[in-house]
């Protein structure tokens, strides 16, 4: 049995924190009289905090100084963190634990590859931190997805070739990053949105043990 790198995105793959990001961004948008919808929120998936703010300001055609932007970024993160206080194991998305356990049993490399700077406390609170051999998050990379840096770094730290790596992602930018890195891309979500992925599943409950075993080879 070969050893492969299984790299997981966080938000939208392991936990559904997108709803908390949305609430926190909506508060900022409201205070600036910008109409920010659930549909607009799709544009922020997998995108860094700084870039997310620029997208929202762009929606409202709002110009701002760097000082103002920095203030909103702090406010947004404080508000976002307040939603995470009560987070626990119940927020791990259905089917994820079964796959993590299977990969551990089969002695595979397991990594996190996330744009979030809050990844570690989220993994801790939801009780899955110990599954991960390697964590690469928004604090460790300088280029955002679709740049493959985050996934290449994860594979490198696991000492596994990118060609022997598999990425689970819910964002278009993340799937593109995995494809550029020549990794196997597995989209978690809607086929219409993630059609560039090598494989697509609605969620982890749809992934059979045999699919993972085939990937391991
Ligand atoms: P933070 P992922 C991403 O996480 C989210 O999808 C994106 O909406 C968020 O803006 C970004 O993390 C930064 O998060 O503000 O916590 O640093 O999907 O790459 O795990
Ligand atoms: Mg995501």
């Amino acid at each position: 049995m070969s050893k492969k790198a299984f790299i997981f995105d966080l938000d939208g793959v392991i936990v559904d924190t997108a709803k908390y990001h949305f609430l926190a961004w909506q508060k900022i948008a409201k205070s600036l009289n910008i109409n920010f919808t659930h549909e607009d929120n799709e544009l922020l998936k997998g995108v860094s905090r700084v870039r997310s703010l620029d997208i929202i300001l762009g929606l409202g055609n709002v110009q701002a100084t760097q000082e103002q932007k920095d203030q909103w970024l702090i406010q947004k993160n404080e508000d976002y963190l307040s939603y995470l206080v009560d987070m626990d194991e119940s927020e791990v998305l259905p089917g994820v634990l079964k796959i993590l356990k299977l990969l551990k049993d089969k002695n595979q490399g397991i990594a996190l590859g996330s744009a979030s700077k809050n990844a570690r406390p989220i993994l801790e609170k939801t009780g899955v931190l110990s599954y991960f051999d390697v964590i690469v998050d928004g604090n460790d990379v300088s280029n955002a997805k679709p740049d493959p840096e985050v996934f290449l770094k994860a594979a490198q730290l696991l000492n596994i070739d990118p060609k022997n790596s598999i990425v689970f992602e819910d964002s278009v930018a993340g799937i593109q990053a995995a494809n550029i890195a020549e990794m196997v891309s597995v989209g978690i979500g809607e086929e219409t949105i993630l059609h560039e992925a090598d494989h697509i599943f609605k969620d982890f409950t749809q992934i059979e043990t045999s699919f993972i075993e085939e990937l391991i080879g």
Side-chain angles (χ1 to χ4, degrees):
M1 193 163 55
S2 60
K3 185 162 182 166
K4 300 269 170 85
F6 287 82
I7 308 172
F8 293 76
D9 174 50
L10 177 67
D11 196 355
V13 168
I14 293 176
V15 283
D16 181 18
T17 34
K19 60 188 177 205
Y20 302 137
H21 281 298
F22 177 69
L23 291 172
W25 282 127
Q26 210 183 32
K27 259 192 206 171
I28 302 283
K30 260 193 188 154
S31 72
L32 298 170
N33 274 324
I34 299 172
N35 185 31
F36 176 60
T37 64
H38 273 286
E39 209 175 30
D40 298 326
N41 195 46
E42 286 297 313
L43 301 172
L44 310 188
K45 284 190 177 169
V47 169
S48 73
R49 201 181 306 163
V50 171
R51 177 84 190 107
S52 297
L53 177 62
D54 284 339
I55 292 174
I56 291 171
L57 295 179
L59 289 172
N61 242 328
V62 172
Q63 312 287 329
T65 63
Q66 192 53 50
E67 209 181 343
Q68 280 174 316
K69 285 190 192 180
D70 289 345
Q71 191 49 44
W72 293 327
L73 288 169
I74 291 170
Q75 251 178 7
K76 186 269 169 179
N77 198 48
E78 281 177 358
D79 196 38
Y80 175 65
L81 290 177
S82 74
Y83 294 110
L84 304 185
V85 171
D86 296 326
M87 212 173 189
D88 61 21
E89 289 92 342
S90 66
E91 297 209 38
V92 175
L93 287 167
V96 171
L97 271 184
K98 186 184 148 198
I99 301 295
L100 286 173
K101 281 183 183 150
L102 176 68
L103 293 173
K104 263 276 168 272
D105 282 351
K106 296 199 174 283
N107 196 29
Q108 298 298 300
I110 305 180
L112 189 86
S114 164
S116 175
K117 295 190 171 181
N118 297 301
R120 274 178 189 271
I122 294 173
L123 292 178
E124 249 170 65
K125 278 181 160 294
T126 53
V128 293
L129 182 64
S130 61
Y131 285 98
F132 292 87
D133 305 307
V134 158
I135 292 172
V136 183
D137 65 20
N139 301 293
D140 308 307
V141 293
S142 29
N143 301 302
K145 301 166 190 173
D147 189 288
E149 184 184 4
V150 64
F151 298 141
L152 289 173
K153 205 164 183 179
Q156 190 188 14
L157 288 171
L158 284 169
N159 208 10
I160 293 175
D161 196 273
K163 287 199 169 73
N164 288 323
S165 303
I166 297 99
V167 171
F168 296 100
E169 252 293 347
D170 71 315
S171 72
V172 175
I175 293 295
Q176 289 169 342
N179 290 344
I180 293 168
E182 296 189 53
M183 297 177 171
V184 175
S185 54
V186 183
I188 304 294
E190 297 301 326
E191 194 154 358
T192 45
I193 298 173
L194 303 174
H195 52 85
E196 289 173 61
D198 295 320
H199 308 272
I200 305 170
F201 298 93
K202 208 166 178 341
D203 58 47
F204 274 88
T205 65
Q206 307 296 309
I207 301 182
E208 303 277 354
T209 304
S210 57
F211 174 73
I212 299 290
E213 284 168 348
E214 268 169 40
L215 287 172
I216 294 171

